[in-house]
């Protein structure tokens, strides 16, 4: 048994249900406005800027390895910092920066020591900075691994 509303408002039947067409029109007219408002409010919550990252020259090249260097600006959110490195730009290895995670605003120096390198090999590396909203990568940098030879006179 289908309940029918007796009023002066027009009704429409669909699959045995009765709908007040004026009320339904108001709901569908308000729906997109509410939806757009929700989207705008959610977008306001994502106003944090993405972190910024740059590679810096590698240092401390020795028979024990090397130190990868970079800078990160977390732009207000706690940011996890890692270095991706390898013999190609596929970066088959990852190491966490010793300063990770970095927080606050402004440029922070980051570094990580790597070991087990092969002499005479070119290594590529980049900085990966990741927070709750963004993941960014610096541009590629490279260095030739060959620690200084011992000179005897």
């Amino acid at each position: 048994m289908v309940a029918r509303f007796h009023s002066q408002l027009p009704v429409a039947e669909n699959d045995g249900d009765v709908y007040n067409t004026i009320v339904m029109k108001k709901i569908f007219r308000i729906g997109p406005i509410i939806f757009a408002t929700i989207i705008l409010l959610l977008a306001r919550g994502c106003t944090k800027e993405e972190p910024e990252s740059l590679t810096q020259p590698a240092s401390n090249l020795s028979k024990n390895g090397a130190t990868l260097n970079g800078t990160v600006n977390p732009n207000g959110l706690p940011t996890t910092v890692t270095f991706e490195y390898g013999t190609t730009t596929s970066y088959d290895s990852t190491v966490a920066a010793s300063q990770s995670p970095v927080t606050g605003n402004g440029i922070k120096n980051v570094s990580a020591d790597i070991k087990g390198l092969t002499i005479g090999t070119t290594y590529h590396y980049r900085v990966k900075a990741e927070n709750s909203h963004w993941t960014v990568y610096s541009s590629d940098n490279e260095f030739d691994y060959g620690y200084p030879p011992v000179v005897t006179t």
Side-chain angles (χ1 to χ4, degrees):
M1 178 172 176
V2 175
R4 298 206 185 271
F5 299 98
H6 298 286
S7 68
Q8 297 179 353
L9 299 174
V11 295
E13 275 194 51
N14 184 8
D15 296 331
D17 293 327
V18 178
Y19 299 100
N20 180 318
T21 55
I22 292 176
V23 172
M24 294 304 290
K25 285 180 183 177
K26 287 181 181 179
I27 290 171
F28 286 119
R29 191 173 343 141
I30 294 172
I33 294 169
I34 293 171
F35 179 73
T37 303
I38 291 170
I39 295 299
L40 288 173
L41 290 173
L42 289 174
R44 266 194 212 153
C46 297
T47 58
K48 296 290 185 184
E49 292 185 35
E50 63 187 43
E52 301 166 3
S53 63
L54 294 170
T55 51
Q56 299 294 327
S59 61
N60 301 327
L61 275 65
S62 70
K63 64 181 179 180
N64 297 322
T67 301
L68 304 179
N69 299 296
T71 59
V72 171
N73 181 348
N75 278 324
L77 289 174
T79 301
T80 302
V81 181
T82 55
F83 287 88
E84 297 180 338
Y85 69 97
T87 56
T88 68
T89 54
S90 294
Y91 310 107
D92 55 358
S93 299
T94 303
V95 62
S98 58
Q99 298 81 1
S100 184
V102 294
T103 59
N105 288 302
I107 296 171
K108 317 285 186 196
N109 291 319
V110 293
S111 62
D113 294 328
I114 56 174
K115 299 178 186 223
L117 305 178
T118 304
I119 295 174
T121 303
T122 299
Y123 286 89
H124 295 262
Y125 65 99
R126 66 181 178 183
V127 180
K128 176 183 176 184
E130 184 173 15
N131 65 30
S132 58
H133 295 285
W134 306 94
T135 299
V136 296
Y137 299 90
S138 68
S139 59
D140 177 73
N141 205 350
E142 63 182 53
F143 66 93
D144 293 322
Y145 182 65
Y147 54 87
V150 176
V151 178
T152 56
T153 56

